[in-house]
Amino acid sequence: MSNSSVKMNGEITNSPRRKSRTEMAAKVTVVLGAQWGDEGKGKVVDMLATDVDVVCRCQGGNNAGHTVVVGDREYDFHLLPSGIINPKCKSVIGNGVVIHLPGLFEEIEKNEAKGLIHWKDRLLISDRAHIVFDFHQQVDGLQEQEKGKKSLGTTKKGIGPAYSSKATRNGIRIADLLGDFSLFSEKFQTLVAHYQRMFPDLIVDVPAELERYKVLAERVRPLTCETVSFLHDALRQHKKILVEGANAAMLDIDFGTYPYVTSSNCSIGGVCTGLGIPPVSIGTVVGVVKAYTTRVGDGPFMTELTDDIGALLQSRGHEIGVTTKRPRRCGWLDIPLLKHTTLVNGYTQLCVTKLDILDVLPELKVAVAYKKNGKVLDYFPSSTAELATVEVEYVTLPGWMTSIEDVRDFEQLPENAKNYVRKLEELVEVPIRWIGVGKGRESIINVF
């Protein structure tokens, strides 16, 4: 309602409704992976971060891997927001992230060697974020061993066990580490004992670990703050805030191909719960789409190519996982999958990456529908069993058979490349804002 009724002198009049403080605040821009990850989100965040004040991570842990190429330098980020390269930008690791502190500082040191500077005054870590311990990582591997042939192909970074600890309310947060250390020690020993009851072979040198965390506490202390109030202050001051989603929508624990998913909500809802900002604060939502489809690890993959074309995409696209170092499975672009993640995330814009990888293919297939018993499905199947019964319907488009790596204007693309992009936009019904045609931050076509 634009007006509210007010009774004055016995008469009802209409007066403008006063906006809430939240409505008057700035809106955040969110970047999310629209497939199974590895779409190039880090590159998009790096591009957008040159014009923002704050970049945030809201969920996941160092199971994520974002690569940013600046000139001849290639940065790999796992816990750090990709925007930390921008020396004018604050970087926030939110409460929804699970943090392996030794891994965080190792990541910082590696990127310092590549040229990362002045990060100490710009990195803020939520005191509500949960800690991933080394024994969480051991448990991750032991759980995968127990599953045998039914393993999920996790990164073994301890992310699932850490989120499990959080859900069963025996997890340990950064705030616990920075408080009374005797209470932290007690919680640590209780958590170790909990896992040793489940896995009798789990060996943890408790005294050594506690000494290690005394040192880590002092390293992380100056970086830690209550980030919810920090972000709301920034919103009220109309600061430009960018949120970098980790993993991707099809790995979301609720909306992905369960159980072959990650342990967090890496769709739009994870932004609110992982940072403490309300839905009304979300503005632009950028879905990042690779021009073909890839997936690391096990799980359904409806358009997977196990032939020479799949191998070609893997080779040309350098499809090796940043975190796992495992080769990525490759396949054709999948529109039903993208429609599903669009429903969940409400993309307002798309960025299509790695279009140049398709330069050498004479024809391209695009999955446009899933069929079951001859009927087109109007939803994405919830179970792997149902997905196994799905028949994929394709359209075939002609390729362009020429390099587009140096193109920087949409109209200069070959006509068949433009048609491929237009077909994607027509089918997903979301405007395409950018197109990636190379590794560097300059290799972006601004469509409008």
Side-chain angles (χ1 to χ4, degrees), residues 51 53 106 149 152 185 187 206 241 263 268 277 279-280 287 308 316 321 336 344 347 354 382 385 414 417 441 444 446:
D51 189 39
D53 303 297
E106 181 182 346
K149 293 181 179 179
L152 303 177
S185 301
K187 289 183 177 182
V206 172
I241 299 177
S263 300
I268 195 70
I277 58 175
V280 72
D308 291 345
R316 279 184 56 80
V344 172
Y347 308 127
K354 288 196 165 183
S382 302
R441 59 162 54 160
I444 289 280
N446 197 328

mmCIF file of all heavy atoms in Angstrom, residues 51 53 106 149 152 185 187 206 241 263 268 277 279-280 287 308 316 321 336 344 347 354 382 385 414 417 441 444 446:
data_model
loop_
_atom_site.group_PDB
_atom_site.id
_atom_site.type_symbol
_atom_site.label_atom_id
_atom_site.label_comp_id
_atom_site.label_asym_id
_atom_site.label_seq_id
_atom_site.Cartn_x
_atom_site.Cartn_y
_atom_site.Cartn_z
ATOM 1 N N ASP A 51 34.304 -1.545 -8.164
ATOM 2 C CA ASP A 51 33.417 -0.398 -7.941
ATOM 3 C C ASP A 51 32.536 -0.570 -6.715
ATOM 4 O O ASP A 51 31.442 -0.020 -6.649
ATOM 5 C CB ASP A 51 32.542 -0.175 -9.190
ATOM 6 C CG ASP A 51 31.757 1.127 -9.130
ATOM 7 O OD1 ASP A 51 32.326 2.131 -8.659
ATOM 8 O OD2 ASP A 51 30.570 1.133 -9.528
ATOM 9 N N ASP A 53 32.300 -1.164 -2.152
ATOM 10 C CA ASP A 53 32.955 -0.868 -0.882
ATOM 11 C C ASP A 53 33.199 -2.114 -0.043
ATOM 12 O O ASP A 53 34.145 -2.166 0.738
ATOM 13 C CB ASP A 53 32.096 0.119 -0.082
ATOM 14 C CG ASP A 53 31.836 1.404 -0.845
ATOM 15 O OD1 ASP A 53 32.804 2.118 -1.135
ATOM 16 O OD2 ASP A 53 30.656 1.679 -1.165
ATOM 17 N N GLU A 106 47.206 -19.948 5.495
ATOM 18 C CA GLU A 106 48.030 -20.480 4.410
ATOM 19 C C GLU A 106 47.621 -19.849 3.081
ATOM 20 O O GLU A 106 48.473 -19.489 2.253
ATOM 21 C CB GLU A 106 47.879 -22.004 4.348
ATOM 22 C CG GLU A 106 48.722 -22.659 3.263
ATOM 23 C CD GLU A 106 48.513 -24.159 3.185
ATOM 24 O OE1 GLU A 106 47.926 -24.741 4.124
ATOM 25 O OE2 GLU A 106 48.939 -24.754 2.182
ATOM 26 N N LYS A 149 31.566 -47.573 -2.497
ATOM 27 C CA LYS A 149 31.170 -47.221 -3.853
ATOM 28 C C LYS A 149 30.060 -46.172 -3.896
ATOM 29 O O LYS A 149 29.806 -45.574 -4.940
ATOM 30 C CB LYS A 149 30.708 -48.470 -4.616
ATOM 31 C CG LYS A 149 31.824 -49.477 -4.876
ATOM 32 C CD LYS A 149 31.316 -50.674 -5.657
ATOM 33 C CE LYS A 149 32.435 -51.674 -5.947
ATOM 34 N NZ LYS A 149 31.945 -52.856 -6.696
ATOM 35 N N LEU A 152 30.198 -39.798 -1.967
ATOM 36 C CA LEU A 152 29.637 -38.618 -2.628
ATOM 37 C C LEU A 152 30.684 -37.815 -3.377
ATOM 38 O O LEU A 152 30.355 -36.869 -4.086
ATOM 39 C CB LEU A 152 28.955 -37.710 -1.589
ATOM 40 C CG LEU A 152 27.845 -38.375 -0.765
ATOM 41 C CD1 LEU A 152 27.300 -37.396 0.263
ATOM 42 C CD2 LEU A 152 26.725 -38.878 -1.673
ATOM 43 N N SER A 185 38.707 -24.861 25.499
ATOM 44 C CA SER A 185 39.375 -26.159 25.664
ATOM 45 C C SER A 185 38.378 -27.246 26.016
ATOM 46 O O SER A 185 38.434 -28.369 25.489
ATOM 47 C CB SER A 185 40.452 -26.069 26.750
ATOM 48 O OG SER A 185 41.420 -25.099 26.423
ATOM 49 N N LYS A 187 35.108 -27.293 25.395
ATOM 50 C CA LYS A 187 34.260 -27.574 24.239
ATOM 51 C C LYS A 187 35.021 -28.388 23.190
ATOM 52 O O LYS A 187 34.455 -29.294 22.568
ATOM 53 C CB LYS A 187 33.754 -26.262 23.621
ATOM 54 C CG LYS A 187 32.727 -25.531 24.467
ATOM 55 C CD LYS A 187 32.223 -24.295 23.748
ATOM 56 C CE LYS A 187 31.130 -23.600 24.562
ATOM 57 N NZ LYS A 187 30.592 -22.419 23.863
ATOM 58 N N VAL A 206 45.245 -33.771 21.430
ATOM 59 C CA VAL A 206 44.497 -32.656 22.011
ATOM 60 C C VAL A 206 45.413 -31.577 22.577
ATOM 61 O O VAL A 206 45.230 -30.385 22.270
ATOM 62 C CB VAL A 206 43.493 -33.166 23.066
ATOM 63 C CG1 VAL A 206 42.858 -32.002 23.820
ATOM 64 C CG2 VAL A 206 42.406 -34.007 22.377
ATOM 65 N N ILE A 241 27.628 -2.946 -1.692
ATOM 66 C CA ILE A 241 27.964 -4.245 -1.115
ATOM 67 C C ILE A 241 27.738 -5.338 -2.146
ATOM 68 O O ILE A 241 26.686 -5.402 -2.800
ATOM 69 C CB ILE A 241 27.135 -4.524 0.152
ATOM 70 C CG1 ILE A 241 27.431 -3.463 1.218
ATOM 71 C CG2 ILE A 241 27.426 -5.921 0.697
ATOM 72 C CD1 ILE A 241 26.602 -3.601 2.478
ATOM 73 N N SER A 263 27.115 -28.956 1.840
ATOM 74 C CA SER A 263 26.396 -28.991 3.121
ATOM 75 C C SER A 263 25.805 -27.641 3.512
ATOM 76 O O SER A 263 25.421 -27.444 4.663
ATOM 77 C CB SER A 263 27.336 -29.470 4.224
ATOM 78 O OG SER A 263 27.812 -30.761 3.925
ATOM 79 N N ILE A 268 20.018 -18.294 -3.071
ATOM 80 C CA ILE A 268 19.808 -16.924 -2.589
ATOM 81 C C ILE A 268 19.478 -16.868 -1.092
ATOM 82 O O ILE A 268 19.854 -15.917 -0.404
ATOM 83 C CB ILE A 268 18.712 -16.219 -3.435
ATOM 84 C CG1 ILE A 268 18.731 -14.718 -3.208
ATOM 85 C CG2 ILE A 268 17.349 -16.815 -3.177
ATOM 86 C CD1 ILE A 268 19.947 -14.035 -3.792
ATOM 87 N N ILE A 277 21.327 -10.361 6.694
ATOM 88 C CA ILE A 277 20.634 -9.260 6.025
ATOM 89 C C ILE A 277 19.267 -9.754 5.553
ATOM 90 O O ILE A 277 19.112 -10.916 5.189
ATOM 91 C CB ILE A 277 21.440 -8.698 4.838
ATOM 92 C CG1 ILE A 277 21.730 -9.787 3.800
ATOM 93 C CG2 ILE A 277 22.743 -8.077 5.326
ATOM 94 C CD1 ILE A 277 22.418 -9.264 2.558
ATOM 95 N N PRO A 279 15.711 -10.151 3.195
ATOM 96 C CA PRO A 279 15.467 -10.258 1.753
ATOM 97 C C PRO A 279 15.255 -8.916 1.062
ATOM 98 O O PRO A 279 15.655 -8.752 -0.094
ATOM 99 C CB PRO A 279 14.205 -11.129 1.679
ATOM 100 C CG PRO A 279 14.229 -11.937 2.930
ATOM 101 C CD PRO A 279 14.824 -11.042 3.975
ATOM 102 N N VAL A 280 14.657 -7.954 1.759
ATOM 103 C CA VAL A 280 14.376 -6.659 1.136
ATOM 104 C C VAL A 280 15.664 -5.918 0.786
ATOM 105 O O VAL A 280 15.657 -4.995 -0.029
ATOM 106 C CB VAL A 280 13.485 -5.802 2.070
ATOM 107 C CG1 VAL A 280 14.256 -5.303 3.283
ATOM 108 C CG2 VAL A 280 12.861 -4.638 1.316
ATOM 109 N N GLY A 287 23.364 -14.407 -12.063
ATOM 110 C CA GLY A 287 23.619 -15.838 -12.210
ATOM 111 C C GLY A 287 24.761 -16.047 -13.188
ATOM 112 O O GLY A 287 24.733 -15.531 -14.308
ATOM 113 N N ASP A 308 34.801 -37.846 -27.427
ATOM 114 C CA ASP A 308 35.899 -36.950 -27.784
ATOM 115 C C ASP A 308 35.538 -35.479 -27.570
ATOM 116 O O ASP A 308 36.413 -34.661 -27.265
ATOM 117 C CB ASP A 308 36.309 -37.163 -29.248
ATOM 118 C CG ASP A 308 36.977 -38.510 -29.467
ATOM 119 O OD1 ASP A 308 37.379 -39.132 -28.460
ATOM 120 O OD2 ASP A 308 37.076 -38.939 -30.633
ATOM 121 N N ARG A 316 40.405 -27.900 -23.624
ATOM 122 C CA ARG A 316 40.392 -26.476 -23.993
ATOM 123 C C ARG A 316 40.004 -25.590 -22.811
ATOM 124 O O ARG A 316 40.511 -24.478 -22.660
ATOM 125 C CB ARG A 316 39.422 -26.228 -25.156
ATOM 126 C CG ARG A 316 39.995 -26.554 -26.519
ATOM 127 C CD ARG A 316 39.010 -26.197 -27.624
ATOM 128 N NE ARG A 316 38.583 -24.803 -27.605
ATOM 129 C CZ ARG A 316 39.285 -23.781 -28.094
ATOM 130 N NH1 ARG A 316 40.482 -23.982 -28.612
ATOM 131 N NH2 ARG A 316 38.800 -22.549 -28.056
ATOM 132 N N GLY A 321 39.585 -29.039 -11.170
ATOM 133 C CA GLY A 321 39.062 -28.371 -9.989
ATOM 134 C C GLY A 321 40.129 -27.583 -9.250
ATOM 135 O O GLY A 321 41.217 -28.095 -8.986
ATOM 136 N N PRO A 336 16.912 -26.902 -18.884
ATOM 137 C CA PRO A 336 16.027 -27.238 -17.759
ATOM 138 C C PRO A 336 16.689 -27.027 -16.402
ATOM 139 O O PRO A 336 16.049 -26.561 -15.449
ATOM 140 C CB PRO A 336 15.703 -28.719 -18.002
ATOM 141 C CG PRO A 336 15.827 -28.886 -19.476
ATOM 142 C CD PRO A 336 16.968 -27.998 -19.882
ATOM 143 N N VAL A 344 14.617 -20.691 -8.305
ATOM 144 C CA VAL A 344 15.037 -20.638 -6.908
ATOM 145 C C VAL A 344 15.695 -19.298 -6.566
ATOM 146 O O VAL A 344 15.430 -18.716 -5.512
ATOM 147 C CB VAL A 344 16.007 -21.802 -6.601
ATOM 148 C CG1 VAL A 344 16.620 -21.645 -5.209
ATOM 149 C CG2 VAL A 344 15.282 -23.142 -6.705
ATOM 150 N N TYR A 347 17.307 -14.792 -10.706
ATOM 151 C CA TYR A 347 18.348 -13.989 -11.361
ATOM 152 C C TYR A 347 17.723 -12.786 -12.071
ATOM 153 O O TYR A 347 16.709 -12.906 -12.752
ATOM 154 C CB TYR A 347 19.120 -14.816 -12.398
ATOM 155 C CG TYR A 347 19.673 -16.117 -11.891
ATOM 156 C CD1 TYR A 347 19.406 -17.319 -12.554
ATOM 157 C CD2 TYR A 347 20.469 -16.164 -10.751
ATOM 158 C CE1 TYR A 347 19.915 -18.519 -12.105
ATOM 159 C CE2 TYR A 347 20.979 -17.367 -10.286
ATOM 160 C CZ TYR A 347 20.699 -18.545 -10.964
ATOM 161 O OH TYR A 347 21.192 -19.741 -10.512
ATOM 162 N N LYS A 354 33.246 -18.445 -20.607
ATOM 163 C CA LYS A 354 33.937 -19.464 -21.407
ATOM 164 C C LYS A 354 33.269 -19.740 -22.756
ATOM 165 O O LYS A 354 33.310 -20.863 -23.267
ATOM 166 C CB LYS A 354 34.083 -20.770 -20.617
ATOM 167 C CG LYS A 354 35.106 -20.674 -19.483
ATOM 168 C CD LYS A 354 35.512 -22.054 -18.982
ATOM 169 C CE LYS A 354 36.761 -21.984 -18.133
ATOM 170 N NZ LYS A 354 37.232 -23.308 -17.696
ATOM 171 N N SER A 382 13.279 -34.188 -8.321
ATOM 172 C CA SER A 382 13.863 -34.048 -6.989
ATOM 173 C C SER A 382 14.799 -35.192 -6.621
ATOM 174 O O SER A 382 15.660 -35.029 -5.753
ATOM 175 C CB SER A 382 12.748 -33.954 -5.936
ATOM 176 O OG SER A 382 11.888 -32.873 -6.202
ATOM 177 N N ALA A 385 16.806 -41.021 -8.584
ATOM 178 C CA ALA A 385 16.113 -42.141 -9.230
ATOM 179 C C ALA A 385 15.241 -41.652 -10.382
ATOM 180 O O ALA A 385 15.212 -42.255 -11.464
ATOM 181 C CB ALA A 385 15.260 -42.888 -8.204
ATOM 182 N N PRO A 414 30.879 -13.472 -34.134
ATOM 183 C CA PRO A 414 30.306 -14.161 -35.300
ATOM 184 C C PRO A 414 28.801 -14.353 -35.107
ATOM 185 O O PRO A 414 28.326 -14.511 -33.966
ATOM 186 C CB PRO A 414 31.038 -15.506 -35.310
ATOM 187 C CG PRO A 414 32.280 -15.287 -34.516
ATOM 188 C CD PRO A 414 31.951 -14.250 -33.496
ATOM 189 N N ALA A 417 27.717 -17.252 -33.004
ATOM 190 C CA ALA A 417 27.984 -17.067 -31.570
ATOM 191 C C ALA A 417 26.902 -16.195 -30.945
ATOM 192 O O ALA A 417 26.423 -16.480 -29.841
ATOM 193 C CB ALA A 417 29.370 -16.446 -31.370
ATOM 194 N N ARG A 441 40.649 -10.485 -16.520
ATOM 195 C CA ARG A 441 39.533 -9.613 -16.147
ATOM 196 C C ARG A 441 39.119 -8.699 -17.306
ATOM 197 O O ARG A 441 38.005 -8.166 -17.315
ATOM 198 C CB ARG A 441 39.885 -8.781 -14.917
ATOM 199 C CG ARG A 441 41.094 -7.882 -15.071
ATOM 200 C CD ARG A 441 41.160 -6.770 -14.035
ATOM 201 N NE ARG A 441 41.083 -7.202 -12.665
ATOM 202 C CZ ARG A 441 41.490 -6.484 -11.628
ATOM 203 N NH1 ARG A 441 42.087 -5.320 -11.842
ATOM 204 N NH2 ARG A 441 41.344 -6.915 -10.382
ATOM 205 N N ILE A 444 36.028 -9.597 -21.115
ATOM 206 C CA ILE A 444 34.593 -9.572 -20.861
ATOM 207 C C ILE A 444 33.921 -8.687 -21.899
ATOM 208 O O ILE A 444 34.385 -7.573 -22.191
ATOM 209 C CB ILE A 444 34.294 -9.001 -19.446
ATOM 210 C CG1 ILE A 444 34.726 -9.991 -18.369
ATOM 211 C CG2 ILE A 444 32.815 -8.659 -19.285
ATOM 212 C CD1 ILE A 444 33.753 -11.116 -18.110
ATOM 213 N N ASN A 446 30.709 -6.524 -22.561
ATOM 214 C CA ASN A 446 29.598 -5.860 -21.890
ATOM 215 C C ASN A 446 28.444 -5.776 -22.886
ATOM 216 O O ASN A 446 28.521 -5.022 -23.869
ATOM 217 C CB ASN A 446 30.033 -4.458 -21.435
ATOM 218 C CG ASN A 446 29.111 -3.866 -20.408
ATOM 219 O OD1 ASN A 446 27.904 -4.133 -20.427
ATOM 220 N ND2 ASN A 446 29.642 -3.066 -19.522
#
